[in-house]
Amino acid sequence: MQVVRHSAQTLKTALISKNPALVSQYEKLDAGEQRLMNEAFRPASDLYGPITLHSPSDWITSHPEAPQDFEGFFNDPYRKTPSPEKCSIYIQAIGALGNTRVISEEYIKWLKGYCEAFFYGLKVKLLEPVSVSATRCSFRVNDHTQNLQIHAGHILNFLKKKRPEDAFCVVGITMIDLYPRDSWNFVFGQASLTDGVGIFSFARYGRDFYTSHYEGKVKKLHKKSSNDYSIFDNYYVPEITSVLLLRSCKTLTHEIGHIFGLRHCQWLACLMQGSNHLEEADRRPLNLCPICLRKLQCAVGFSIVERYKALVRWIDGESADTPRATPKHSRESNVNLPKPVEAFAEWKEWITKCLAVLQKQGPSSRSN
């Protein structure tokens, strides 16, 4: 295992900058917010740690990128910022997200609520769910996994055409695997930052996707024409578990973060780290490091305390006796399914520690 560890001075500069205007901007932050963000360069911090690499296939090793500090983010001429006219995040479900209509509806509501808390202060709206056939996308059976896949680029074109006037971005979500081009095996997601659209699949986050008994395998693709989407009728959808919900929330917020102009993080363990495979994605935390948190706060303008309180409220939104997974089958009735949040318990503890730092009485740690 390799540890990517930066000096305290390097992290301090990445967070605050040496640009006098940006230093002044930082010093105008709430004292508690400065105190929390200064944890980035406190060596003994128990809130933020270094990035760990476990194999040569991990993202940083296999995809070298120039690191983006706060100053680089702030001065990026291509990044997009919400405006009063375009301040809504839209979520478009493509195909079923659950084994019944009720589960699909509840699942997308959970994701909407999470995004509302994570991007605190912005509106998150749901577009009417659509079938795969409505997108007119190409599709195939993966040669390796034998599961159905839909073409990510074609979905992006569909989302661009559906973009509402007040949209900051439109993100499509699906339980069907994606591929970006014929030569690629798969992709977890794909986005067009200039167009403010993205499509993300949660198919590989189901607990049985990589097993031999995965029920989404297709032995042969019987396709009468390029317009024959009947194979997607009643296509397999993984069971909604707490781990699947956590992975979905993590992917959705990571990818929307890119649309805000946040590049892959190379400073500390952070949600915005890149990931090449599921094991690496699972190691990535739900939280933003202070450098990426300052970037998002700059773009959105939220109070960090109120944002963390909103995230805790989302986690606490259901009773303590929430079952480990939503039922595989449910009657089509007006019921409120319990949200499976067991996998978020550790993160709630972390947020509670952050709130204690933010709300601590007394002077902030000096940034200079």
Side-chain angles (χ1 to χ4, degrees):
M1 183 178 75
Q2 178 186 350
V3 178
V4 180
R5 195 182 300 276
H6 300 282
S7 70
Q9 185 58 51
T10 297
L11 292 170
K12 183 176 180 180
T13 302
L15 170 67
I16 301 173
S17 171
K18 291 185 177 180
N19 181 315
L22 296 183
V23 172
S24 175
Q25 182 191 98
Y26 186 80
E27 291 175 343
K28 291 176 183 176
L29 292 175
D30 174 87
E33 293 182 340
Q34 287 189 55
R35 188 163 48 241
L36 177 67
M37 291 190 185
N38 287 351
E39 289 282 317
F41 50 85
R42 192 171 72 83
S45 175
D46 61 349
L47 293 176
Y48 305 102
I51 296 171
T52 58
L53 305 178
H54 292 242
S55 77
S57 65
D58 282 2
W59 183 272
I60 288 180
T61 306
S62 57
H63 293 81
E65 298 174 86
Q68 182 197 50
D69 57 15
F70 177 76
E71 184 174 345
F73 167 84
F74 187 83
N75 292 328
D76 183 354
Y78 300 106
R79 72 177 177 91
K80 294 185 179 296
T81 302
S83 66
E85 297 77 28
K86 296 185 181 295
C87 58
S88 298
I89 296 171
Y90 280 87
I91 301 177
Q92 171 72 74
I94 299 170
L97 300 180
N99 290 300
T100 70
R101 178 184 57 79
V102 171
I103 294 177
S104 286
E105 289 175 355
E106 288 298 300
Y107 196 66
I108 196 169
K109 286 177 186 175
W110 297 336
L111 294 175
K112 173 182 180 289
Y114 186 82
C115 284
E116 286 174 334
F118 194 92
F119 301 101
Y120 188 76
L122 294 185
K123 297 174 183 176
V124 181
K125 301 177 181 179
L126 300 178
L127 292 171
E128 193 68 26
V130 297
S131 64
V132 175
S133 62
T135 70
R136 315 314 294 170
C137 68
S138 295
F139 57 96
R140 72 179 188 186
V141 173
N142 184 288
D143 291 335
H144 303 286
T145 60
Q146 301 303 305
N147 63 294
L148 276 174
Q149 294 181 303
I150 53 180
H151 195 289
H154 296 174
I155 301 292
L156 292 182
N157 290 334
F158 168 78
L159 295 175
K160 278 188 262 185
K161 295 173 185 175
K162 286 202 66 176
R163 181 176 171 142
E165 284 295 319
D166 67 334
F168 170 71
C169 65
V170 180
V171 291
I173 57 174
T174 183
M175 287 293 185
I176 303 167
D177 206 23
L178 300 171
Y179 72 103
R181 57 180 67 97
D182 291 341
S183 60
W184 280 49
N185 180 23
F186 81 98
V187 68
F188 284 118
Q190 189 173 348
S192 171
L193 305 190
T194 54
D195 294 312
V197 294
I199 173 65
F200 317 113
S201 170
F202 306 141
R204 291 177 181 250
Y205 295 156
R207 59 187 174 190
D208 60 347
F209 184 89
Y210 292 97
T211 64
S212 59
H213 60 268
Y214 177 62
E215 295 179 34
K217 292 181 184 291
V218 178
K219 293 183 179 179
K220 192 172 182 181
L221 182 59
H222 297 285
K223 189 167 151 182
K224 297 175 184 176
S225 72
S226 60
N227 295 324
D228 181 13
Y229 292 88
S230 60
I231 193 168
F232 292 99
D233 295 343
N234 301 313
Y235 183 62
Y236 175 69
V237 178
E239 182 183 3
I240 303 302
T241 65
S242 185
V243 171
L244 178 60
L245 179 59
L246 181 144
R247 288 169 171 169
S248 300
C249 289
K250 192 183 288 188
T251 294
L252 192 56
T253 49
H254 172 101
E255 299 298 348
I256 295 175
H258 282 319
I259 297 176
F260 277 94
L262 279 73
R263 298 182 191 170
H264 285 128
C265 183
Q266 299 181 56
W267 304 110
L268 295 160
C270 176
L271 172 79
M272 292 309 298
Q273 285 173 240
S275 63
N276 257 353
H277 45 82
L278 185 58
E279 181 186 351
E280 186 177 19
D282 282 343
R283 288 198 305 268
R284 186 172 62 189
L286 282 159
N287 63 276
L288 296 169
C289 74
I291 298 162
C292 293
L293 179 61
R294 187 183 178 195
K295 294 174 188 176
L296 188 63
Q297 185 192 40
C298 173
V300 179
F302 50 67
S303 156
I304 296 177
V305 166
E306 295 308 315
R307 174 178 178 269
Y308 280 148
K309 286 180 178 179
L311 285 164
V312 171
R313 286 195 298 272
W314 181 88
I315 296 171
D316 288 342
E318 299 294 341
S319 60
D321 60 350
T322 299
R324 293 195 62 80
T326 57
K328 288 187 177 181
H329 301 287
S330 173
R331 292 186 178 183
E332 299 290 316
S333 56
N334 187 20
V335 297
N336 187 24
L337 294 175
K339 182 167 59 184
V341 292
E342 305 83 7
F344 294 84
E346 185 177 333
W347 195 44
K348 180 184 173 183
E349 292 179 11
W350 182 89
I351 295 175
T352 302
K353 290 180 182 178
C354 289
L355 284 170
V357 173
L358 286 159
Q359 297 172 316
K360 180 180 177 182
Q361 298 299 314
S364 67
S365 303
R366 297 293 296 172
S367 62
N368 52 12

